[in-house]
Amino acid sequence: MGKTTILKSLFEFWYIDKNKSLWLDGEKLFELWIASFNDFVWYIQTQCNIEKLSYLIIDEAQFVENIGIILKVLIDSVRRGDYKFKVIVSGSGSL
């Protein structure tokens, strides 16, 4: 069983409201040239109402350029209270 399958199973098991969650595929973000925190937040805002978001799931995060910096700023923003959602990330370090 792969990481994506496990995430999708947990997503269904936890009964996460799909209207209050956003599932992002790192490969798609790579294709869109998402390379900074501002690009990342802009993309999220185009996909959903960020104020009503409960969960942000990023699968295959290793494909996103500068993902470490993006996640650090994102988590710091969540801790400060700028955003109210929980972040779940999966990826591989073997590329």
Side-chain angles (χ1 to χ4, degrees), residues 14 18 21-22 31-32 34 39 47 50-51 53 56 59 66 71-72 75 77-78 82 86-87:
W14 286 334
K18 292 179 182 175
S21 60
L22 180 61
E31 292 169 5
L32 294 171
I34 303 296
D39 292 344
Q47 301 300 306
I50 201 166
E51 298 298 321
L53 191 63
L56 173 64
D59 190 28
N66 300 319
L71 287 174
K72 183 199 179 312
I75 298 304
S77 298
V78 169
D82 298 342
K86 293 178 176 38
V87 180

Short mmCIF file of all heavy atoms in Angstrom, two decimals, residues 14 18 21-22 31-32 34 39 47 50-51 53 56 59 66 71-72 75 77-78 82 86-87:
data_model
loop_
_atom_site.label_atom_id
_atom_site.label_comp_id
_atom_site.label_asym_id
_atom_site.label_seq_id
_atom_site.Cartn_x
_atom_site.Cartn_y
_atom_site.Cartn_z
N TRP A 14 -11.67 9.22 8.52
CA TRP A 14 -11.90 10.34 9.43
C TRP A 14 -13.16 11.11 9.05
O TRP A 14 -13.52 12.07 9.73
CB TRP A 14 -10.72 11.31 9.43
CG TRP A 14 -9.52 10.82 10.15
CD1 TRP A 14 -9.47 9.92 11.16
CD2 TRP A 14 -8.17 11.23 9.92
NE1 TRP A 14 -8.18 9.75 11.58
CE2 TRP A 14 -7.36 10.53 10.83
CE3 TRP A 14 -7.56 12.11 9.04
CZ2 TRP A 14 -5.98 10.69 10.89
CZ3 TRP A 14 -6.19 12.27 9.09
CH2 TRP A 14 -5.42 11.57 10.01
N LYS A 18 -15.34 17.00 2.52
CA LYS A 18 -14.65 17.36 1.28
C LYS A 18 -14.89 18.82 0.91
O LYS A 18 -14.11 19.40 0.18
CB LYS A 18 -15.08 16.44 0.15
CG LYS A 18 -14.58 15.03 0.37
CD LYS A 18 -15.01 14.09 -0.72
CE LYS A 18 -14.51 12.71 -0.36
NZ LYS A 18 -14.93 11.69 -1.27
N SER A 21 -12.07 20.81 2.83
CA SER A 21 -10.71 20.32 2.71
C SER A 21 -10.22 20.52 1.28
O SER A 21 -11.01 20.64 0.35
CB SER A 21 -10.63 18.84 3.10
OG SER A 21 -11.45 18.08 2.24
N LEU A 22 -8.93 20.57 1.13
CA LEU A 22 -8.32 20.73 -0.18
C LEU A 22 -7.20 19.72 -0.32
O LEU A 22 -6.30 19.67 0.51
CB LEU A 22 -7.80 22.15 -0.36
CG LEU A 22 -7.13 22.48 -1.69
CD1 LEU A 22 -8.11 22.28 -2.86
CD2 LEU A 22 -6.60 23.90 -1.69
N GLU A 31 3.94 21.40 -12.06
CA GLU A 31 3.59 21.78 -13.44
C GLU A 31 3.10 23.23 -13.51
O GLU A 31 3.26 23.90 -14.53
CB GLU A 31 2.52 20.86 -14.00
CG GLU A 31 3.01 19.44 -14.22
CD GLU A 31 1.88 18.46 -14.52
OE1 GLU A 31 0.72 18.89 -14.65
OE2 GLU A 31 2.19 17.26 -14.63
N LEU A 32 2.50 23.72 -12.42
CA LEU A 32 2.00 25.10 -12.38
C LEU A 32 3.07 26.11 -11.96
O LEU A 32 2.79 27.29 -11.83
CB LEU A 32 0.82 25.18 -11.40
CG LEU A 32 -0.43 24.41 -11.81
CD1 LEU A 32 -1.44 24.41 -10.66
CD2 LEU A 32 -1.05 25.01 -13.06
N ILE A 34 4.55 26.46 -9.04
CA ILE A 34 4.38 26.99 -7.68
C ILE A 34 5.73 26.86 -6.99
O ILE A 34 6.20 25.77 -6.73
CB ILE A 34 3.30 26.20 -6.91
CG1 ILE A 34 1.96 26.20 -7.65
CG2 ILE A 34 3.16 26.72 -5.48
CD1 ILE A 34 1.30 27.54 -7.80
N ASP A 39 2.92 32.24 -4.07
CA ASP A 39 2.31 31.48 -5.16
C ASP A 39 1.40 30.39 -4.59
O ASP A 39 0.31 30.15 -5.09
CB ASP A 39 3.37 30.78 -6.02
CG ASP A 39 4.23 31.73 -6.82
OD1 ASP A 39 3.86 32.91 -6.97
OD2 ASP A 39 5.30 31.28 -7.30
N GLN A 47 -8.64 27.82 -5.36
CA GLN A 47 -9.27 26.50 -5.32
C GLN A 47 -10.38 26.39 -4.27
O GLN A 47 -11.22 25.50 -4.36
CB GLN A 47 -8.22 25.42 -5.04
CG GLN A 47 -7.12 25.35 -6.07
CD GLN A 47 -7.64 25.06 -7.45
OE1 GLN A 47 -8.35 24.09 -7.66
NE2 GLN A 47 -7.33 25.93 -8.40
N ILE A 50 -10.38 29.89 1.67
CA ILE A 50 -9.34 29.56 2.65
C ILE A 50 -9.81 29.79 4.08
O ILE A 50 -9.34 29.13 5.00
CB ILE A 50 -8.04 30.35 2.33
CG1 ILE A 50 -6.83 29.69 2.97
CG2 ILE A 50 -8.16 31.80 2.74
CD1 ILE A 50 -5.51 30.19 2.44
N GLU A 51 -10.78 30.67 4.27
CA GLU A 51 -11.31 30.94 5.61
C GLU A 51 -12.13 29.78 6.15
O GLU A 51 -12.25 29.60 7.36
CB GLU A 51 -12.16 32.21 5.60
CG GLU A 51 -11.41 33.46 5.21
CD GLU A 51 -10.28 33.81 6.16
OE1 GLU A 51 -10.46 33.63 7.38
OE2 GLU A 51 -9.22 34.25 5.68
N LEU A 53 -11.55 26.55 5.24
CA LEU A 53 -10.76 25.34 5.07
C LEU A 53 -10.42 24.71 6.42
O LEU A 53 -9.96 25.40 7.33
CB LEU A 53 -9.47 25.68 4.31
CG LEU A 53 -8.62 24.55 3.79
CD1 LEU A 53 -9.39 23.73 2.76
CD2 LEU A 53 -7.35 25.10 3.16
N LEU A 56 -5.77 20.87 4.83
CA LEU A 56 -5.00 21.01 3.60
C LEU A 56 -4.12 19.77 3.50
O LEU A 56 -3.29 19.53 4.37
CB LEU A 56 -4.15 22.28 3.63
CG LEU A 56 -3.19 22.45 2.47
CD1 LEU A 56 -3.95 22.59 1.14
CD2 LEU A 56 -2.29 23.65 2.69
N ASP A 59 -0.11 15.91 -1.23
CA ASP A 59 0.44 14.60 -1.56
C ASP A 59 1.57 14.78 -2.58
O ASP A 59 1.51 15.67 -3.42
CB ASP A 59 -0.68 13.72 -2.15
CG ASP A 59 -0.27 12.28 -2.30
OD1 ASP A 59 0.60 11.81 -1.53
OD2 ASP A 59 -0.81 11.60 -3.19
N ASN A 66 11.05 24.24 -3.53
CA ASN A 66 11.14 24.98 -2.26
C ASN A 66 10.08 24.55 -1.24
O ASN A 66 9.67 25.34 -0.40
CB ASN A 66 11.02 26.49 -2.50
CG ASN A 66 12.11 27.02 -3.39
OD1 ASN A 66 13.26 26.63 -3.28
ND2 ASN A 66 11.74 27.90 -4.30
N LEU A 71 6.52 25.06 3.44
CA LEU A 71 5.88 24.43 4.60
C LEU A 71 6.25 25.13 5.90
O LEU A 71 5.40 25.29 6.78
CB LEU A 71 6.24 22.95 4.67
CG LEU A 71 5.56 22.07 3.64
CD1 LEU A 71 6.10 20.65 3.72
CD2 LEU A 71 4.05 22.07 3.79
N LYS A 72 7.49 25.56 6.02
CA LYS A 72 7.90 26.27 7.24
C LYS A 72 7.08 27.54 7.42
O LYS A 72 6.52 27.80 8.50
CB LYS A 72 9.39 26.62 7.21
CG LYS A 72 9.83 27.29 8.52
CD LYS A 72 11.12 28.03 8.37
CE LYS A 72 11.55 28.72 9.63
NZ LYS A 72 10.56 29.51 10.33
N ILE A 75 3.35 26.55 8.19
CA ILE A 75 3.15 26.08 9.57
C ILE A 75 3.30 27.23 10.56
O ILE A 75 2.52 27.34 11.51
CB ILE A 75 4.11 24.92 9.91
CG1 ILE A 75 3.87 23.72 8.99
CG2 ILE A 75 4.00 24.52 11.38
CD1 ILE A 75 2.47 23.17 9.00
N SER A 77 2.57 30.29 9.95
CA SER A 77 1.34 31.08 9.80
C SER A 77 0.17 30.44 10.51
O SER A 77 -0.65 31.13 11.12
CB SER A 77 1.02 31.25 8.31
OG SER A 77 2.04 31.95 7.66
N VAL A 78 0.08 29.11 10.45
CA VAL A 78 -0.99 28.39 11.16
C VAL A 78 -0.81 28.56 12.67
O VAL A 78 -1.77 28.83 13.39
CB VAL A 78 -0.99 26.89 10.75
CG1 VAL A 78 -1.90 26.08 11.67
CG2 VAL A 78 -1.44 26.73 9.30
N ASP A 82 -2.94 32.82 11.65
CA ASP A 82 -3.32 33.42 10.37
C ASP A 82 -4.28 32.51 9.60
O ASP A 82 -5.14 33.00 8.87
CB ASP A 82 -2.09 33.68 9.49
CG ASP A 82 -1.11 34.66 10.13
OD1 ASP A 82 -1.52 35.39 11.06
OD2 ASP A 82 0.05 34.69 9.69
N LYS A 86 -5.67 22.44 9.40
CA LYS A 86 -4.62 21.48 9.72
C LYS A 86 -3.94 21.09 8.42
O LYS A 86 -4.57 21.06 7.36
CB LYS A 86 -5.21 20.25 10.40
CG LYS A 86 -5.77 20.56 11.78
CD LYS A 86 -6.39 19.32 12.39
CE LYS A 86 -6.89 19.50 13.78
NZ LYS A 86 -7.52 20.72 14.14
N VAL A 87 -2.64 20.80 8.48
CA VAL A 87 -1.87 20.48 7.30
C VAL A 87 -1.39 19.03 7.39
O VAL A 87 -0.82 18.63 8.41
CB VAL A 87 -0.66 21.42 7.17
CG1 VAL A 87 0.16 21.10 5.93
CG2 VAL A 87 -1.08 22.88 7.17
#
